Structure formats: structure tokens, C-alpha cells
Amino acid sequence: MQKVRLKWVKNRGLDHIIARTTSIRASCLLLDHLARLPSSSPVPARSLARLQKPLGLTVPVLRFLRRHPTLFAETPHPRFPTLPSFSLTPASHLLVGRAARASAVDSHLRLARLLLLTRSKSLPLASVLPLRFDLGLPYNFAAAFPVAHPDLFAVSNNHISLSTTSHLPEDILISSLQLRHAEAIERTTYRALSRPPSSSSAPLAFPMRFPRGYGGMKKVKAWMEEFHRLPYISPYDDASGIDPESDIYEKRNIGLLHELLGLMVHKMVRRNAIRLLREELGLPHKFTRLFTRYPGIFYLSLKCKTTTVVLREGYERGKLVEQHPLAAVRDKVFYVMRTGVLYRGKGLSKLVLDEEGDVEGVLMDGDEEFHGEGMDEEADVECFGMEIVDNGHSTDDEDDERDMDD
């Protein structure tokens, strides 16, 4: 199959979504960390300063906490009044509880699918921890999942694996692309069946959303037609008998990465996190080129001083096409964050949320209510994971710029 060399094109809309999600990540991990601490006294900011690098903050933790007073309440320390200390606001407590309930919906199945994508059906905990926010896993998943689902997970030697007696749901081995194709067949009309088949509407074709100008290029159309004609191999099937240098194996890798990104709550993931899974997933050493070679499926971004991969089909007009309940809760976290930024210097008194976690309004000095949308995101926060130390938070390779052009 002859491959076409395409130039990388920046997508400002997706870059904005990445910046917003990066800020949400840092806030959610801080909320989770504070919620697990004893609530008898506020936490001094200097004890949280060590989290700046794990969170990926480009500003001091104290400045970040003060920037969002609707999430983090600054109160005097009981013994040292001049020591800046913080605790969760009532709105934060509600959002943390809502996030925990939303995470419990299907987070164990997401982890099970991730393990099924690997060769050994097992992963080191150090490789899963950077994906905890992306998969929507609870903080103590390594201890809670084997207890709650003993027939599904087992943990030993700092590895989490599928239990030998696993009773998996029947549809868990069906990829999202296969499931979408099956649903499309059910909705097929008689008029569609009467049309002659074409490669552009071939079964199991990846949805393509090319940057402006690429979709109409004849050489790109011919290349994608040839690509779609290759047989589709489910990422859950054994691919050990396929030549790693063949075009079929490359399409298998595209399907695997497509499925991996589809498991993420926000349909995006850091490239550093994928690198930790590379050998178990059977990806080539320079797997970044797969993203730049297929810009109609993936978008590779260098926003927030890291490399992030987004599944293009996951977003439509700046919003998730299929929003997970946890993503809806995190959107409310973002709203509360931005409200604190807007009104932190204007006499903010409190944020009112109902029992379901919906924002009712912000009470200001003078009983003024705010119901507007948040302003554009300040891309000043980058986060990789709360529990991973330096080796998981490495900088991107020097060949990132060259990969963008490959």
C-alpha cells in the first residue's frame, strides 16, 4: 500500500479542548487528594507544594489553589494563623461525591477492556496509574476491584491482570468499530441496500475527519480507499501470526489505537502513557508516526507542553459526541473553576449547587447572580498523574517535531 506524506495541520478547537481538559485533570486530582485527607483541620499549602510536578502545574500550587476559590477554600491554620491552608468547599464535596458515583458505573469494564488489549492480559500498576484519570478509575482501584469483582481481576507482584476464572460479558470482546457497524446494519434502509457497494462505504471503515483541504485530495482519497479495503482485525484478536511489517498489521495497530482512545472518558490520552503500554500492546517503537500518518482518525497535539492524541470522531463542534456521566461531572468542575477565576477579586461569597450537583448560581456582594458561560481557558496547567513520579512524567522526545512532518 502506497502511503501519502501529509503535513501536520493545527486544530485550534481541539487544542482548546486539550487545554481545558488538562486544567480539569489537575483540579480533579487535587480534589481527590484533599478528599482523602482527614477533614479535622485545613491542609497547609506548603505540604501540597510537592505535588506540583506530579500534577504538572506550571504555576506554584499555592497560586493554583488561590486561583479557584470556589473549589478550594483558604482558611487560617488553627495553630499558625499566617500559614496559608486550604480545605474543600461545599461545592467541591458535592462534586467529589458525584464523580465517585459516576466512576463506579463502568470503570471496571474499561480496565478489563484495556487488559484484554494486551498480550499477557496483565499490566504493571505503574503503567495503569497514568491512565487513572483518563479511564475514570477510583484512587484505590488496585485494592477495590479485586474485592468487588473477584471473578474478574487479580493483583500480584504489583501487576493487575484478568482472573483465570474471569466471566466476561459477551459483548466485551466486540470493538467499538464492530459495534457501530452492527448498529448501522440494523438501521439500513431498503434504498441503501439497493445501491451498488463502494469502497468508501465498506464495512468497518474508520470514520474520517480530515483537516480542511485534505479530504478532497485525490491521492488521499485513493490511499484511504486502499486502506479500507484491507481486512479489519479486531484489536481483541490474537495478531501474533501477522507479519509486523505488513500493511495488515499496520491497520491492526490503527484499530488498536482507535479502540484504546475510545476507552478514554475524554477520547484523548497522553503519548507518554501509551509509551508505557507499547510492548504489551505490540506497537512499533516509533508508534507516534501512526498518528501523523492518519490525520483523518487521530489528532496529535503539542498543547500544554506535552504530546496528546485525540480521537477526532469523539468530538463534534467542541463537544463529546457520546458524553460519559463522569465527563458531565467534570464539566461542572470546570464551570466552578472558571467561575472562581472570574469573580475571585469581586467579592465572591459562595457557590450554590443543588443536591444533584447542578450549578444554580453564584451569590455575589449585592446579591448578583451569574449564569453565563466560562471564559476561554488559560493553558497554564499540565498534569500527568497524581501517583506517578518522574519516570512517568518525562518530557517528549526530541523527534516530536520530525514526527509531525512524517
Side-chain angles (χ1 to χ4, degrees):
M1 184 177 68
Q2 183 180 2
K3 298 177 178 64
V4 179
R5 185 182 180 90
L6 300 176
K7 184 179 180 180
W8 177 77
V9 178
K10 184 176 183 178
N11 188 308
R12 295 185 181 276
L14 291 178
D15 280 345
H16 174 78
I17 293 171
I18 291 170
R20 182 184 65 188
T21 306
T22 302
S23 297
I24 295 173
R25 178 194 299 261
S27 292
C28 288
L29 291 177
L30 268 175
L31 289 174
D32 185 57
H33 180 76
L34 292 175
R36 288 184 281 105
L37 297 176
S39 57
S40 55
S41 61
V43 181
R46 66 182 183 182
S47 67
L48 299 173
R50 61 183 178 83
L51 300 177
Q52 179 174 349
K53 195 169 184 179
L55 284 172
L57 291 174
T58 58
V59 297
V61 176
L62 175 60
R63 180 179 171 187
F64 182 81
L65 293 170
R66 283 176 170 170
R67 179 176 291 176
H68 307 294
T70 47
L71 288 178
F72 310 104
E74 184 172 1
T75 54
H77 194 274
R79 293 183 59 187
F80 310 100
T82 59
L83 186 64
S85 302
F86 292 85
S87 59
L88 296 184
T89 63
S92 296
H93 282 292
L94 279 174
L95 292 172
V96 168
R98 290 276 291 173
R101 291 191 292 272
S103 173
V105 174
D106 62 350
S107 57
H108 64 290
L109 294 179
R110 290 176 181 271
L111 181 58
R113 286 181 180 271
L114 175 64
L115 295 175
L116 285 170
L117 292 176
T118 63
R119 292 173 172 176
S120 62
K121 308 298 183 287
S122 173
L123 282 173
L125 291 175
S127 298
V128 181
L129 284 173
L131 294 169
R132 187 170 68 86
F133 175 85
D134 301 297
L135 290 171
L137 303 178
Y139 168 78
N140 61 339
F141 72 93
F145 280 3
V147 175
H149 309 281
D151 59 335
L152 199 58
F153 300 103
V155 176
S156 62
N157 298 326
N158 290 325
H159 280 65
I160 186 166
S161 58
L162 291 175
S163 176
T164 54
T165 59
S166 297
H167 299 288
L168 300 172
E170 295 182 358
D171 61 343
I172 199 171
L173 292 176
I174 303 176
S175 69
S176 59
L177 199 62
Q178 291 173 319
L179 184 61
R180 184 185 298 113
H181 176 61
E183 293 174 351
I185 291 179
E186 294 180 358
R187 297 193 301 267
T188 300
T189 61
Y190 174 79
R191 179 177 296 180
L193 289 174
S194 63
R195 296 172 183 168
S198 63
S199 57
S200 60
S201 60
L204 301 180
F206 291 94
M208 294 286 180
R209 295 184 180 180
F210 283 100
R212 183 175 300 178
Y214 280 173
M217 295 173 61
K218 292 183 179 179
K219 60 179 181 179
V220 175
K221 284 186 175 181
W223 175 31
M224 287 297 101
E225 296 246 343
E226 187 177 358
F227 172 74
H228 284 314
R229 282 196 292 267
L230 294 173
Y232 173 80
I233 299 175
S234 172
Y236 299 106
D237 292 345
D238 182 18
S240 57
I242 305 175
D243 181 10
E245 302 298 327
S246 64
D247 293 333
I248 296 178
Y249 196 82
E250 179 169 313
K251 184 170 182 178
R252 175 261 176 193
N253 287 335
I254 296 299
L256 187 147
L257 292 170
H258 179 276
E259 184 70 11
L260 177 66
L261 286 169
L263 294 178
M264 306 302 160
V265 174
H266 296 279
K267 309 306 179 188
M268 66 176 67
V269 68
R270 305 296 178 89
R271 194 198 59 172
N272 282 344
I274 301 179
R275 180 182 285 115
L276 298 176
L277 311 174
R278 185 185 64 80
E279 292 187 4
E280 277 294 335
L281 295 177
L283 295 172
H285 180 68
K286 296 183 178 180
F287 65 90
T288 304
R289 295 183 178 180
L290 294 174
F291 302 127
T292 56
R293 195 177 294 157
Y294 295 90
I297 304 175
F298 309 108
Y299 174 64
L300 193 67
S301 173
L302 298 179
K303 189 70 174 177
C304 299
K305 299 181 182 179
T306 189
T307 308
T308 306
V309 188
V310 184
L311 189 64
R312 284 186 180 271
E313 67 184 75
Y315 287 89
E316 183 72 38
R317 296 183 178 179
K319 296 182 179 180
L320 282 167
V321 176
E322 298 178 0
Q323 190 178 56
H324 191 272
L326 183 57
V329 176
R330 290 173 177 174
D331 282 346
K332 294 173 184 176
V333 172
F334 176 73
Y335 180 88
V336 175
M337 286 173 58
R338 300 308 301 163
T339 303
V341 172
L342 286 169
Y343 290 99
R344 57 180 172 165
K346 299 182 181 180
L348 175 67
S349 56
K350 64 179 179 177
L351 184 71
V352 180
L353 278 78
D354 62 18
E355 294 181 356
E356 295 298 319
D358 293 325
V359 180
E360 293 180 347
V362 179
L363 301 185
M364 311 293 300
D365 290 346
D367 297 331
E368 179 184 357
E369 291 193 31
F370 173 75
H371 293 282
E373 295 292 332
M375 60 188 290
D376 288 343
E377 178 58 28
E378 299 170 4
D380 57 357
V381 180
E382 176 191 340
C383 178
F384 183 69
M386 179 71 73
E387 308 303 325
I388 293 298
V389 228
D390 278 357
N391 37 344
H393 187 50
S394 59
T395 56
D396 295 316
D397 291 341
E398 294 179 357
D399 61 346
D400 276 349
E401 302 293 340
R402 294 193 298 270
D403 285 342
M404 288 297 192
D405 294 330
D406 285 348

